[in-house]
Amino acid sequence: MSEPLLLVVEDDQNLAKLLGYNLERAGYKFHLSGTGEDALDQLARRSFDLMLLDIMLPGIDGFEVCRKVREHQMLKDIPIIMLTAKGEEIDKVLGFELGIDDYVVKPFSPRELNLRIRAILKRDRRQRAGIQEVLSAGGLDVDISRHQVTLDGKGLVLTLMEFKLLVALLKRRGQAQSREMLLSDVWDVDKTINTRTIDTHITRLREKLGETGKMIKTVRGLGYKFEEQGEEA
């Protein structure tokens, strides 16, 4: 297997040099881009296995780069780790809404970043290898490996967070799940986001699922559970 090729998008030259040094030591090949425009140009020229993306960039910022990548049919599946000095909750939520895979706040340890890169690349390899898991409930089918959701045979467009929430609920169908548990499933390593953020995503998910959204039950004082008709105790 060839060494993974990473795209590092960082305008701070000192930090970019430090990132490059640590990535090289970890055995990764990489290309450095100092602007969002150059990053998009590089993505159009060659295939990368993962992108490390700073938010505060000259010209097109990291959020806009992420948005363009996720909207592009050929680029939308590239894993993205966002690197930023901004630690506000709204920035994290927006990043995940746009489809990033992980979020690292500066300053961060090279070892921690390497572990996160390895975890995401391992997951991505498994998905590309065709490991398929489909969760079904009534007329709802969720293909985890392909990141596809259909309802009564028609495709649904969900955000990454909505998709992760739906998968978490379906995997433990019939079981009450606390907001903290769902937050851990959806935002994995980042636990600083307010648990009430889950409520907003649940509301949007219910709306997109229509009548099927009624299967997502509110468990008062705790969180939520997915329950088909006839499953109630």
Side-chain angles (χ1 to χ4, degrees):
M1 183 179 296
S2 61
E3 295 175 344
L5 178 61
L6 279 55
L7 177 60
V8 181
V9 191
E10 171 60 64
D11 65 318
D12 184 319
Q13 293 186 3
N14 290 328
L15 181 55
K17 187 179 297 185
L18 179 62
L19 280 167
Y21 171 76
N22 286 292
L23 290 174
E24 195 169 56
R25 286 191 62 190
Y28 298 116
K29 294 181 179 179
F30 60 91
H31 177 85
L32 294 174
S33 287
T35 67
E37 290 88 346
D38 182 66
L40 292 171
D41 181 60
Q42 291 299 322
L43 287 166
R45 291 170 178 266
R46 59 202 301 193
S47 177
F48 291 92
D49 296 287
L50 183 144
M51 177 164 58
L52 300 177
L53 177 63
D54 187 28
I55 287 182
M56 304 301 290
L57 296 168
I60 300 177
D61 67 17
F63 289 134
E64 185 61 22
V65 171
C66 184
R67 181 180 291 108
K68 288 179 179 293
V69 168
R70 290 298 183 239
E71 290 176 349
H72 195 289
Q73 185 63 30
M74 299 300 293
L75 303 176
K76 62 184 178 66
D77 293 326
I78 182 174
I80 298 174
I81 297 179
M82 193 160 272
L83 306 176
T84 178
K86 300 181 70 175
E88 291 85 353
E89 178 177 319
I90 186 61
D91 294 312
K92 300 176 186 179
V93 172
L94 179 55
F96 282 116
E97 283 280 14
L98 290 172
I100 65 171
D101 295 84
D102 205 349
Y103 193 108
V104 184
V105 179
K106 304 172 188 174
F108 48 82
S109 75
R111 183 173 182 274
E112 177 189 4
L113 179 60
N114 184 37
L115 288 173
R116 296 189 185 210
I117 291 172
R118 284 171 54 191
I120 290 175
L121 289 175
K122 182 178 180 180
R123 181 207 66 193
D124 192 57
R125 282 195 296 268
R126 291 182 64 211
Q127 291 176 347
R128 292 177 187 274
I131 298 175
Q132 188 174 16
E133 183 178 3
V134 178
L135 302 174
S136 301
L140 185 66
D141 293 300
V142 180
D143 188 325
I144 296 177
S145 62
R146 296 181 179 179
H147 204 283
Q148 293 178 347
V149 180
T150 57
L151 180 60
D152 296 326
K154 296 181 178 180
L156 286 182
V157 178
L158 302 182
T159 66
L160 181 62
M161 293 301 99
E162 292 163 354
F163 180 82
K164 287 186 175 183
L165 268 176
L166 184 57
V167 168
L169 289 165
L170 283 171
K171 280 189 171 182
R172 292 192 285 267
R173 185 170 60 184
Q175 301 178 33
Q177 303 184 57
S178 68
R179 290 179 177 85
E180 289 77 14
M181 182 184 295
L182 290 169
L183 188 65
S184 178
D185 284 335
V186 174
W187 274 277
D188 333 288
V189 294
D190 197 324
K191 309 291 177 57
T192 62
I193 297 175
N194 192 303
T195 55
R196 289 293 171 178
T197 301
I198 292 292
D199 299 339
T200 301
H201 291 289
I202 288 289
T203 297
R204 294 173 183 168
L205 182 57
R206 281 171 168 162
E207 291 174 352
K208 291 185 178 181
L209 293 177
E211 286 297 309
T212 303
K214 295 178 180 178
M215 294 182 184
I216 301 177
K217 310 289 187 181
T218 299
V219 181
R220 192 174 299 277
L222 180 65
Y224 300 93
K225 66 177 176 178
F226 192 97
E227 194 169 63
E228 291 186 80
Q229 291 184 351
E231 287 185 337
E232 296 185 22

